[in-house]
Amino acid sequence: MLDLPISNGMILHYYYSGESACKPGHVHGPALRDHYLIHYIHSGKGTFETEGRTYSLSGKCGFLIRPGVRFYYKADMDNPWHYSWVGFKGEGVDRSLELMGLSRNNPIFHYDADEQLIECFAELNRTKTEISPGIQMKRTGFLFILLSLLFASGQQEVSPQHTGSNNKQEAYMEQALEYMYTNYTRNIKIQDMAQHLNIDRRYLTSIFKQHLGHSPHRMLVQYRLRKACELMTDTSLSISDIARSVGYEDPLQFSKIFSKHMSASPIKYRSRLGL
């Protein structure tokens, strides 16, 4: 079977958030954090230093502090900045931030599309001291929305002459895989995947072949079979149950596909497991 890529699903843990209108020359650092920290500047100016680089920033810009990376920032003496921040940690964060255009070489972003980013920070700050059932889930939800806005903004600002089409293609591929991994139990087709991404099916196929060496159809079949093999160990499930659980309404079609790729029928495969 194919060595399938792992889903790029991101798990987030909200830490804290806040807002401050800084005094002239206010300094923070040099210091380190063990989590991610995003600052968004509403107005004013200041400087941010990390990885040996210094950035002069003003309103509608922001900067990312990475875990374990030394940083320093200072408000302007004449026009000190007013900013909001949010700290968080999680799994799959680094790769997702890179897709937003936020890398170690580029920790800066610009957002002036609308007021949604500011509204997300406002909601995070409004609920940060609230104690009620589900409040952490609510804060994490706003954090996801905030990052999705940065992702959309970062994708729009990608410069083809600097990055070529690879970044965009990889983003399409990762979103397609995510769609596959979360919808394989349904009777989805590759056309559904392409429509979900709003791209042509042939273009999607070419991306998969270029980056993974296989068509999305083959990747989907192999993923379903991998999941089917995992379910084979549950003897309470019939072969028909397993077929429906991995997206095949017709058990006969499932058996044919399974036999073709696994060199054994589902029944023989299960018997080899000693079940």
Side-chain angles (χ1 to χ4, degrees):
M1 294 180 69
L2 298 177
D3 185 15
L4 294 167
I6 298 173
S7 168
N8 191 45
M10 182 169 56
I11 300 174
L12 290 178
H13 302 286
Y14 166 89
Y15 271 30
Y16 58 84
S17 58
E19 181 178 351
S20 178
C22 296
K23 295 180 179 180
H26 171 77
V27 169
H28 197 97
L32 302 173
R33 291 288 179 267
D34 66 351
H35 53 275
Y36 297 91
L37 186 58
I38 287 178
H39 285 69
Y40 179 67
I41 306 162
H42 301 287
S43 60
K45 297 187 294 183
T47 56
F48 171 61
E49 297 179 16
T50 188
E51 304 274 23
R53 301 183 184 90
T54 301
Y55 304 89
S56 296
L57 304 172
S58 57
K60 307 302 181 182
C61 290
F63 55 91
L64 169 70
I65 294 170
R66 289 178 173 273
V69 176
R70 187 173 180 272
F71 68 87
Y72 169 89
Y73 53 90
K74 179 180 179 181
D76 187 74
M77 291 298 295
D78 299 320
N79 185 18
W81 50 21
H82 168 200
Y83 52 53
S84 291
W85 67 85
V86 60
F88 57 95
K89 212 167 185 178
E91 299 174 19
V93 175
D94 223 41
R95 177 59 178 151
S96 297
L97 289 171
E98 286 184 6
L99 291 173
M100 295 173 201
L102 287 170
S103 64
R104 293 189 71 129
N105 292 327
N106 180 40
I108 307 303
F109 65 90
H110 181 80
Y111 189 92
D112 63 358
D114 48 44
E115 298 298 307
Q116 290 186 75
L117 198 70
I118 294 174
E119 291 168 5
C120 283
F121 275 111
E123 286 295 332
L124 287 170
N125 291 330
R126 185 182 65 79
T127 62
K128 67 181 181 179
T129 59
E130 191 175 326
I131 301 175
S132 62
I135 191 61
Q136 184 67 7
M137 190 180 297
K138 185 175 183 179
R139 286 192 285 256
T140 302
F142 283 119
L143 177 56
F144 265 112
I145 294 172
L146 187 152
L147 293 179
S148 74
L149 293 170
L150 294 183
F151 178 84
S153 176
Q155 290 296 296
Q156 291 171 4
E157 293 177 6
V158 170
S159 174
Q161 62 265 34
H162 289 105
T163 64
S165 60
N166 280 346
N167 281 3
K168 193 168 186 178
Q169 288 184 357
E170 288 178 9
Y172 278 138
M173 186 184 67
E174 297 228 8
Q175 290 177 58
L177 288 170
E178 187 69 22
Y179 182 85
M180 181 190 301
Y181 296 157
T182 55
N183 290 277
Y184 74 94
T185 59
R186 300 167 51 233
N187 186 28
I188 60 168
K189 303 290 189 295
I190 302 308
Q191 182 61 34
D192 300 324
M193 198 181 300
Q195 287 179 349
H196 174 73
L197 298 174
N198 197 30
I199 61 175
D200 183 76
R201 173 178 174 163
R202 289 170 296 183
Y203 179 51
L204 178 63
T205 298
S206 70
I207 291 173
F208 267 70
K209 287 184 176 180
Q210 178 181 339
H211 291 273
L212 299 176
H214 301 284
S215 70
H217 174 73
R218 188 178 179 195
M219 300 292 288
L220 176 59
V221 169
Q222 292 289 345
Y223 189 71
R224 282 172 165 162
L225 293 180
R226 174 177 290 185
K227 290 297 182 181
C229 289
E230 293 173 5
L231 294 175
M232 288 288 181
T233 58
D234 186 346
T235 55
S236 68
L237 296 174
S238 69
I239 299 302
S240 294
D241 293 338
I242 294 173
R244 287 187 292 270
S245 299
V246 296
Y248 295 102
E249 289 298 322
D250 183 354
L252 181 58
Q253 180 195 20
F254 166 72
S255 294
K256 288 180 177 178
I257 293 173
F258 191 97
S259 299
K260 176 182 177 181
H261 290 271
M262 303 303 296
S263 301
S265 69
I267 294 175
K268 286 185 177 180
Y269 181 90
R270 176 173 264 177
S271 68
R272 290 175 183 174
L273 297 176
L275 302 172

